Amino acid sequence: MTNQPLVSILMGSDSDLPVMKKAAQVLEEFGVLYEILVLSAHRTPHETTDYLKKAREHGMKVIIAGAGGAAHLAGVAAAHFTLPVIGVPIKTKSLDGADSLYSTVQMPPGVPVATVGIDAAKNAGLLAVKILATSDTGLSKKLENYLEKQTKGVLKKSKKLKRLGYNKYLESIKK
Ligand code: RP5
């Protein structure tokens, strides 16, 4: 592992941060270094393009880009950055994030953006880890452990549901 960031987490506005922090949390869990910035395709077009053009020479392997509404950030990132770009469509008040989803996912042939679900920044973080794990055996092992833990967690819940029945189970998980 190097001591320089490998993943760049970008978002169009600081209002996206409560969602995008979930990508950062996953990367931290796996010990993957990242940098996190607010850069907008529309409000800071020149700064965004400058950053993206230099991202590869600065050692970035994956970019995660989250934006809402007319969400062009991930697409612009993919236009300038030659390695994988993961898009996170942010939920909006007006159209519930359908606008963000379509803007992010409907890229023209030749310029792919790996788009996760609306507000699914956790999956974006995990996908970045999976991409990096293709050439990092330590990370690959950590992923196996993570997935094993996840499986055990689900099976434990299933056993508990069987034991308690659904009414008592629901009582037990009430907040
Ligand atoms: C997008 O516009 C941002 O990604 C954000 O999701 C949305 C609203 O931005 P703010 O008005 O909250 O700054 O560019």
Side-chain angles (χ1 to χ4, degrees):
M1 281 258 170
T2 76
N3 58 359
Q4 72 148 74
L6 298 177
V7 179
S8 174
I9 301 175
L10 307 180
M11 68 206 82
S13 168
D14 61 351
S15 63
D16 302 324
L17 190 55
V19 171
M20 295 307 290
K21 76 168 188 196
K22 292 176 201 155
Q25 284 167 339
V26 170
L27 297 177
E28 282 164 21
E29 194 174 339
F30 281 91
V32 172
L33 296 179
Y34 64 90
E35 71 181 13
I36 185 162
L37 290 94
V38 177
L39 277 177
S40 163
H42 308 121
R43 293 168 175 159
T44 61
H46 304 298
E47 293 78 2
T48 300
T49 307
D50 283 352
Y51 177 85
L52 292 168
K53 282 182 177 166
K54 290 181 196 144
R56 189 160 181 182
E57 75 188 56
H58 288 166
M60 294 304 168
K61 303 283 185 219
V62 181
I63 290 179
I64 298 173
H72 298 133
L73 185 60
V76 169
H80 292 291
F81 181 68
T82 50
L83 296 177
V85 174
I86 303 169
V88 183
I90 302 289
K91 190 166 182 173
T92 50
K93 283 187 194 128
S94 42
L95 293 169
D96 268 349
D99 43 355
S100 321
L101 175 62
Y102 290 161
S103 310
T104 305
V105 79
Q106 290 290 25
M107 290 295 293
V111 192
V113 166
T115 306
V116 295
I118 295 168
D119 279 358
K122 178 178 175 180
N123 268 357
L126 271 173
L127 188 52
V129 170
K130 285 192 168 198
I131 291 167
L132 295 173
T134 57
S135 59
D136 183 330
T137 45
L139 206 50
S140 179
K141 186 72 206 151
K142 281 187 195 173
L143 251 175
E144 278 171 31
N145 294 339
Y146 177 94
L147 296 173
E148 205 176 298
K149 205 171 142 195
Q150 181 168 258
T151 302
K152 281 185 182 157
V154 173
L155 296 178
K156 197 175 160 194
K157 286 177 184 173
S158 185
K159 269 190 191 162
K160 184 179 162 188
L161 175 59
K162 197 171 174 186
R163 183 163 44 84
L164 296 181
Y166 67 86
N167 276 325
K168 280 189 181 158
Y169 187 97
L170 285 172
E171 274 302 313
S172 79
I173 60 170
K174 252 190 196 162
K175 287 190 180 140

